Amino acid sequence: MPIERKVIAPEAIEAQREICAKIFERVAGDGQRPLAMVDTYGCQQNEADSEKIRGYLSEMGYGFTQDEFQADVIVVNTCAVREHAEMRVLGNVGALNHTKKARPGQIIAVCGCMVQQEHMAEKLKRSYPIVDLVFGPHELWRFPELLNQVMEKHKRVFATAKEEAVAEGIPLRRDGQVKAWLSIMYGCNNFCTYCIVPYVRGRERSRRPEDVVAEARALVAAGYKDITLLGQNVNSYGKDLDCGVDFADLIREINAIPGDFLIRFMTSHPRDATEKLFKTMAECEKCAHHIHLPVQSGSDRVLKRMNRHYDRAKYLEEIETARRYMPDLVITTDIIVGFPDETEEDFQATLSLCEEVRFDAMFTFIYSKRVGTPAATMPDPYTRQEKQLHFDQLTDLANRISGEKHREYEGKTLRVLVDGETGREEYNLSSRTNGGRLVHLKGDKSLIGRFVNVKITASNTWALYGEIVG
Ligand code: SAH
Ligand code: SF4
Ligand code: F3S
């Protein structure tokens, strides 16, 4: 049964854009260009949200700066996934004391996942008087209205309602011209026991396929070449809709859009990565042969306590199926070290799984306790030092495998998409292979946004180096 999902009425978004026009009159009406700074922490979902915030700010007449002393409005878009992310945010928000003193009238807003936790919103209210506006992910669609309240009423505004919805029609200001994020769904239903995301982002809500496809079409028409479909668990796309389109079907629809571009996606949850998905990836010529499939641990005991709904055998079986369809598939993963009560034996199981799969890249994290999650109350006899040792061991393994895999590319010719400049002389351009591997090369910057063939001549743990051929 499809769940009830609230959709923000198009008129409500239109009303927000009218507020933007009103703010424009006030702050930019006489030809001056006010400046804003948007500082983003966390994952691609947050990057995508920041593009909406910038979209609204653009409509209000703001230009953008990276210099907090120049900014009339500062928006800090926060992450709550690990304690370290939150500490960095709080430190940086605290430091804005100086800029606000130097620039009276500056408005400081803090939004995103961190503030959706009550204790954090409370902390900002009590201990950070320089913060004028706090709004959670569910309130983003009405950012203009909230900002306007701060401007007109000269009071602090806190908006962290829990009501979840899908909003279409928010203006977007994308950063680059080659790669684009495309959110296809919001929220997460998985409740992995360590993770804060479902609490701050709410339940899974899919955008309608026609809205996603229309946006993809517009991106291709605008010249974007690398489109990443975003969701915390893209494999469950469409389950909350009643239109019979699943994630694999969505890829097929986007693949049918005429043009030379790449389709990427993240993140896939191993619990429901299907053979249909791998088959679709193999058959759709625009779909990149890369999957980010976070395994988190190689130990069945730990996976169970993490509430991941798969075991080591099922994960390995999925990898085997995926490689059967795409022998050149690039596989990357996330791993948590030091989950409560993770024993030496559990950790060894993770190491052996990594040796077995040979991931192209691994993102490794030391477990961080998140208030309100089930794992936060699990007993844990191990010290930080013990976890750090394991973490270092795993990083060494990840680097070794990555380096070895990169060496296998040497001498091969690959098609890459040139996506930017490196700022270095010898290898001045950066590019990505179909599988997402970074390739540095030398060439004219007019190649940015173009596909070229590159012969790989050298490599290290982090990147490949090559020469343009043909
Ligand atoms: N939805 C994605 C992941 C989002 S969070 C997925 O399920 O794959 C990105 C990564 O952060 C996770 O894969 C996990 O490895 C890590 N992570 C999440 N919560 C964490 C915590 N409390 N401590 C350490 N790492 C965590
Ligand atoms: Fe967090 Fe698990 Fe959801 Fe990923 S799938 S966002 S790790 S709860
Ligand atoms: Fe962080 Fe929120 Fe993403 S907690 S990882 S920014 S969904």
Side-chain angles (χ1 to χ4, degrees):
M1 269 300 280
I3 54 157
E4 275 291 304
R5 74 202 245 299
K6 191 181 161 210
V7 176
I8 307 293
E11 303 79 52
I13 300 295
E14 214 27 68
Q16 296 298 321
R17 299 179 82 162
E18 278 161 23
I19 297 173
C20 291
K22 206 164 105 186
I23 296 177
F24 184 99
E25 284 302 314
R26 192 163 57 228
V27 304
D30 51 7
Q32 58 186 336
R33 187 127 169 100
L35 291 175
M37 181 177 122
V38 181
D39 198 6
T40 312
Y41 298 79
C43 65
Q44 292 83 357
Q45 257 87 14
N46 253 21
E47 299 282 346
D49 281 354
S50 285
E51 295 182 341
K52 293 181 180 161
I53 294 167
R54 278 196 218 97
Y56 272 142
L57 285 165
S58 284
E59 291 204 348
M60 295 172 198
Y62 286 89
F64 295 92
T65 175
Q66 293 297 332
D67 177 358
E68 57 263 37
F69 285 95
Q70 297 295 320
D72 300 291
V73 173
I74 296 179
V75 183
V76 185
N77 193 2
T78 64
C79 171
V81 81
R82 284 170 289 274
E83 189 183 9
H84 176 72
E86 291 188 334
M87 291 299 127
R88 261 179 69 212
V89 165
L90 290 177
N92 291 353
V93 170
L96 295 176
N97 245 326
H98 304 293
T99 69
K100 191 146 180 160
K101 262 203 198 100
R103 206 176 172 89
Q106 184 178 59
I107 294 176
I108 298 175
V110 183
C111 64
C113 296
M114 186 185 93
V115 310
Q116 194 61 37
Q117 308 168 95
E118 249 159 66
H119 68 280
M120 278 298 176
E122 202 45 46
K123 187 174 191 136
L124 288 168
K125 193 181 259 177
R126 257 196 264 125
S127 314
Y128 294 78
I130 54 160
V131 175
D132 303 288
L133 169 61
V134 168
F135 62 100
H138 305 308
E139 302 274 30
L140 191 156
W141 67 274
R142 55 189 205 105
F143 167 57
E145 172 191 341
L146 299 170
L147 183 64
N148 197 41
Q149 280 176 19
V150 173
M151 288 173 160
E152 282 190 339
K153 301 193 180 135
H154 302 284
K155 61 163 199 183
R156 304 175 79 198
V157 173
F158 289 79
T160 51
K162 291 196 171 77
E163 196 177 41
E164 305 157 10
V166 172
E168 295 294 342
I170 298 177
L172 276 177
R173 190 173 190 281
R174 291 195 154 87
D175 252 352
Q177 268 139 27
V178 181
K179 298 191 212 180
W181 308 123
L182 204 180
S183 298
I184 62 166
M185 59 197 298
Y186 310 100
C188 181
N189 287 356
N190 285 309
F191 289 96
C192 303
T193 53
Y194 50 82
C195 184
I196 196 72
V197 171
Y199 302 89
V200 294
R201 289 267 172 177
R203 295 298 64 71
E204 279 171 8
R205 284 103 59 209
S206 305
R207 293 177 67 194
R208 300 208 69 88
E210 55 272 28
D211 291 326
V212 174
V213 173
E215 189 169 339
R217 206 179 284 283
L219 287 170
V220 173
Y224 286 94
K225 296 280 188 267
D226 184 317
I227 299 174
T228 305
L229 311 177
L230 291 182
Q232 289 299 345
N233 176 16
V234 290
N235 300 343
S236 57
Y237 173 81
K239 285 189 181 158
D240 58 323
L241 297 174
D242 48 6
C243 58
V245 175
D246 67 11
F247 182 56
D249 302 329
L250 185 72
I251 291 184
R252 227 175 252 287
E253 285 193 36
I254 297 174
N255 189 66
I257 299 172
D260 194 8
F261 64 95
L262 277 174
I263 305 167
R264 301 184 186 281
F265 56 86
M266 70 189 314
T267 300
S268 292
H269 193 303
R271 93 185 265 186
D272 39 24
T274 57
E275 181 161 355
K276 178 179 174 187
L277 172 67
F278 302 133
K279 187 165 183 286
T280 306
M281 288 174 73
E283 287 172 1
C284 291
E285 74 287 358
K286 290 167 195 165
C287 190
H289 286 190
H290 171 208
I291 192 158
H292 183 63
L293 201 60
V295 67
Q296 312 298 359
S297 167
S299 151
D300 285 346
R301 192 181 77 96
V302 174
L303 287 171
K304 200 168 190 87
R305 284 153 40 82
M306 286 178 163
N307 192 33
R308 291 289 286 180
H309 295 276
Y310 55 85
D311 58 15
R312 179 188 176 104
K314 175 168 158 46
Y315 188 86
L316 290 171
E317 204 181 294
E318 279 179 15
I319 297 288
E320 201 188 307
T321 311
R323 284 191 168 139
R324 191 151 31 83
Y325 282 101
M326 293 164 285
D328 63 341
L329 183 67
V330 167
I331 303 172
T332 56
T333 201
D334 292 346
I335 291 180
I336 296 178
V337 170
F339 184 78
D341 198 31
E342 182 186 66
T343 62
E344 182 61 35
E345 197 185 337
D346 293 322
F347 176 68
Q348 290 301 328
T350 297
L351 289 182
S352 75
L353 177 120
C354 296
E355 290 275 16
E356 208 165 319
V357 177
R358 292 180 57 76
F359 293 105
D360 292 84
M362 290 159 51
F363 300 88
T364 50
F365 310 100
I366 293 185
Y367 168 74
S368 170
K369 195 187 259 195
R370 304 287 66 207
V371 176
T373 61
T377 53
M378 292 180 186
D380 190 7
Y382 297 99
T383 63
R384 173 80 199 189
Q385 277 117 319
E386 287 167 303
K387 297 183 184 200
Q388 186 67 47
L389 274 175
H390 280 170
F391 180 80
D392 294 343
Q393 239 178 303
L394 188 63
T395 315
D396 287 346
L397 177 65
N399 290 345
R400 173 170 66 73
I401 297 175
S402 222
E404 286 168 4
K405 291 216 127 192
H406 278 172
R407 249 191 321 279
E408 291 166 17
Y409 287 97
E410 287 179 24
K412 291 196 174 141
T413 298
L414 305 168
R415 187 172 184 253
V416 300
L417 173 63
V418 183
D419 59 12
E421 291 180 274
T422 60
R424 298 215 319 266
E425 208 178 303
E426 197 188 353
Y427 291 102
N428 62 320
L429 297 177
S430 67
S431 67
R432 294 270 169 185
T433 66
N434 175 306
R437 304 290 80 210
L438 176 64
V439 184
H440 291 296
L441 43 95
K442 194 172 176 67
D444 193 80
K445 69 177 184 195
S446 64
L447 291 173
I448 294 172
R450 303 248 303 266
F451 290 96
V452 295
N453 290 322
V454 172
K455 183 167 177 183
I456 304 302
T457 51
S459 72
N460 59 28
T461 309
W462 298 277
L464 306 171
Y465 298 82
E467 284 162 13
I468 297 176
V469 291

